[in-house]
Amino acid sequence: MKTKALIKKLNKAVNIPEYKTNGSSGLDLEAFLEKDLIVKSNEAVLVPTGLSIAVDENLEVQIRPRSGLALKKNITVLNTPGTIDSDYRGEIKVILVNLGTKDFVIRNGDRIAQMVVCPILKAEFEIVNELPATLRGASGFGSTG
């Protein structure tokens, strides 16, 4: 299923993300930097992409880690998944964190994260005095094994 999304380049040099294969659900986001950015161990940084996006109100854009960066370099998206709401029109920026022991250098054009367009369901809450019983009940945090 496809949907229309609007994307704006905030600089003519920015690359537009694209699906790499027919089965890809995510599009790689690139860093748009004037100079290299060093991410020290246990440090978080905000990385600009030079892009803005608009999607329908029943959609969101999720920002997720790239598996290769996470496995090989210990670089991940701090607030994963990051959410870009349908009414946000500012620049997409990615919060990256270095969970490794070595500094990590981000250069202009490096693929830093992926974005996935996802449907949104909005709940209409009803206040009740009791919730329906389940076998699990209120057990959490490791209660299922």
Side-chain angles (χ1 to χ4, degrees):
M1 180 170 71
K2 290 188 177 183
T3 186
K4 186 77 77 172
L6 305 176
I7 196 160
K8 180 180 177 182
K9 294 169 73 163
L10 302 177
N11 184 297
K12 63 183 178 181
V14 172
N15 294 320
I16 298 296
E18 58 186 38
Y19 295 100
K20 297 295 185 189
T21 68
N22 287 338
S24 295
S25 59
L27 304 107
D28 287 340
L29 287 173
E30 296 179 0
F32 188 70
L33 303 169
E34 293 181 14
K35 62 180 183 175
D36 293 352
L37 181 60
I38 298 173
V39 190
K40 296 187 180 305
S41 178
N42 293 311
E43 180 182 61
V45 296
L46 191 60
V47 184
T49 65
L51 296 169
S52 294
I53 194 166
V55 295
D56 289 339
E57 67 180 25
N58 61 336
L59 300 172
E60 71 163 334
V61 175
Q62 293 184 358
I63 306 300
R64 302 179 183 178
R66 293 192 67 240
S67 56
L69 276 182
L71 176 65
K72 297 174 186 172
K73 302 293 184 180
N74 295 305
I75 301 297
T76 191
V77 176
L78 185 59
N79 62 326
T80 193
T83 297
I84 300 174
D85 296 310
S86 64
D87 58 352
Y88 176 68
R89 294 297 182 267
E91 181 177 11
I92 297 171
K93 295 182 180 180
V94 179
I95 305 170
L96 291 183
V97 64
N98 182 352
L99 300 176
T101 57
K102 298 177 183 174
D103 290 355
F104 181 75
V105 179
I106 302 171
R107 294 176 174 81
N108 186 54
D110 283 354
R111 295 181 298 159
I112 56 164
Q114 59 180 322
M115 68 178 186
V116 177
V117 179
C118 300
I120 295 296
L121 296 175
K122 293 195 176 179
E124 187 175 308
F125 291 101
E126 177 183 344
I127 299 172
V128 297
N129 292 325
E130 296 292 327
L131 296 175
T134 66
L135 183 61
R136 181 176 180 181
S139 298
F141 297 104
S143 65
T144 61

